[in-house]
Amino acid sequence: MIDPLPELPTEQSDPRYSQIDQLPTAQIARLMNQADAAVPAAVALAVPAISDAIDAISARMAKGGRLLYVGAGTSGRLAVLDASECPPTFGTDPELVQGIIAGGHDALTRSIEGAEDDAGAGAAALAGLDVGPLDSVVGVSASGRAPFVLGALAEATRREALTVGLSCNDAAPLSAAAKHAIEVVVGPEVVTGSTRLKAGTAQKLVLNMISTISMVRLGRTYGNKMIEMSAMNSKLAGRAVRMVSDITGADHDAAGEALDAAGGQAKVAVLMIRHGLDAEGARALLRSHGERLSDALSG
């Protein structure tokens, strides 16, 4: 059945943009920039709900749970993108934070928009991952009505996982289906109904907060430093050397030597320098302090 979504703010046509096809490029760009500028303010209104969700998510992750994003179309691609950045940024196992998109891997590079209408597929995706009570499932849908996402959240609820609904409309069905509702109401798009624009930007900002702050709460940063990052290329290796040097006060040569001995693990290198330990001794010290560098340094 076709759902025209007539009342949703994200589906409305804004008269300010009704003749953009007749405008000079620079003027269209200014209009889009002005529209985008309203997004952070809309996100700010949702910060209390975002914070509550993050605290609940990180509490479960601290007990061994996973963070699973579920979305369709643009929302799903943003979900997969945010999840895929966690291993290089925070040194996480790829299974810890995952993005699930309607239509599967092919939907990342080409439109399989009809996949979002399959609620059963959403439920099956969660069942296939054996979601359980320690896991957190964040459903992402600009309209707040994507059946794939609603089906996934229903299955997550049945399995007693924590559920979060992120949408860009108020009173969304996704909000009613979730334990924690996050609604970032950004209004009509410059191109009517194209929720890859303001709605997509809003969703990316919120997903940034969810993944980043959860990792901070789990001790996967030291201050604002990416202490768990994987030094997988020359840029990141250089960043790791600077980070170890900044924390310990050692020169870059000493920091680099410690990193080499630590197998590229910055936390281990820091403890080796600060406490005069070898790599295994530094790892043992970290384990005894729950892998938190700040505790290991002061302990």
Side-chain angles (χ1 to χ4, degrees), residues 177-190:
K179 173 74 172 178
H180 294 270
I182 301 170
E183 296 179 339
V184 184
V185 182
V186 295
E189 300 285 5
V190 173

Side-chain angles (χ1 to χ4, degrees), residues 61 67 69 79-99 211-212 215 220-221 226-233 236 239 264-265:
M61 293 184 79
L67 171 57
Y69 296 135
V80 172
L81 171 64
D82 196 73
S84 69
E85 293 288 354
C86 288
T89 306
F90 301 110
T92 58
D93 187 296
E95 301 297 312
L96 184 64
V97 184
Q98 299 182 48
S211 58
T212 302
M215 293 299 146
R220 302 195 78 85
T221 65
M226 294 191 294
I227 199 66
E228 298 273 10
M229 74 173 191
S230 301
M232 299 168 63
N233 57 42
L236 296 179
R239 184 181 295 164
Q265 294 178 291

Side-chain angles (χ1 to χ4, degrees), residues 41-272:
V43 173
L45 293 175
V47 162
I50 296 167
S51 301
D52 287 345
I54 292 169
D55 284 340
I57 290 168
S58 57
R60 294 196 180 205
M61 293 184 79
K63 297 177 182 178
R66 297 169 294 176
L67 171 57
L68 307 173
Y69 296 135
V70 184
T74 296
S75 299
R77 294 178 195 108
L78 290 169
V80 172
L81 171 64
D82 196 73
S84 69
E85 293 288 354
C86 288
T89 306
F90 301 110
T92 58
D93 187 296
E95 301 297 312
L96 184 64
V97 184
Q98 299 182 48
I100 303 158
I101 183 170
H105 185 270
D106 287 347
L108 292 174
T109 56
R110 62 186 179 90
S111 176
I112 309 179
E113 301 301 340
E116 76 174 53
D117 294 331
D118 193 342
L126 270 290
L129 289 171
D130 196 25
V131 169
L134 288 181
D135 294 324
S136 301
V137 178
V138 179
V140 190
S141 168
S143 69
R145 298 170 65 155
F148 180 89
V149 179
L150 290 170
L153 255 65
E155 181 68 13
T157 299
R158 189 181 74 78
R159 291 169 171 267
E160 299 183 340
L162 178 77
T163 54
V164 179
L166 169 57
S167 66
C168 293
N169 290 295
D170 51 14
L174 185 59
S175 297
K179 173 74 172 178
H180 294 270
I182 301 170
E183 296 179 339
V184 184
V185 182
V186 295
E189 300 285 5
V190 173
V191 175
T192 303
S194 182
T195 52
R196 70 184 185 86
L197 301 176
K198 288 192 297 181
T201 300
Q203 289 173 94
K204 183 64 174 82
L205 292 175
V206 175
L207 293 174
N208 284 348
M209 291 181 179
I210 291 173
S211 58
T212 302
I213 300 173
S214 293
M215 293 299 146
V216 171
R217 294 274 75 84
L218 292 172
R220 302 195 78 85
T221 65
Y222 178 72
N224 65 344
K225 293 179 171 59
M226 294 191 294
I227 199 66
E228 298 273 10
M229 74 173 191
S230 301
M232 299 168 63
N233 57 42
S234 59
K235 178 188 75 174
L236 296 179
R239 184 181 295 164
V241 169
R242 292 192 300 274
M243 183 164 49
V244 172
S245 178
D246 289 345
I247 295 171
T248 64
D251 62 35
H252 283 195
D253 288 342
E257 290 173 5
L259 271 168
D260 288 342
Q265 294 178 291
K267 289 197 302 186
V268 174
V270 167
L271 290 175
M272 290 171 65

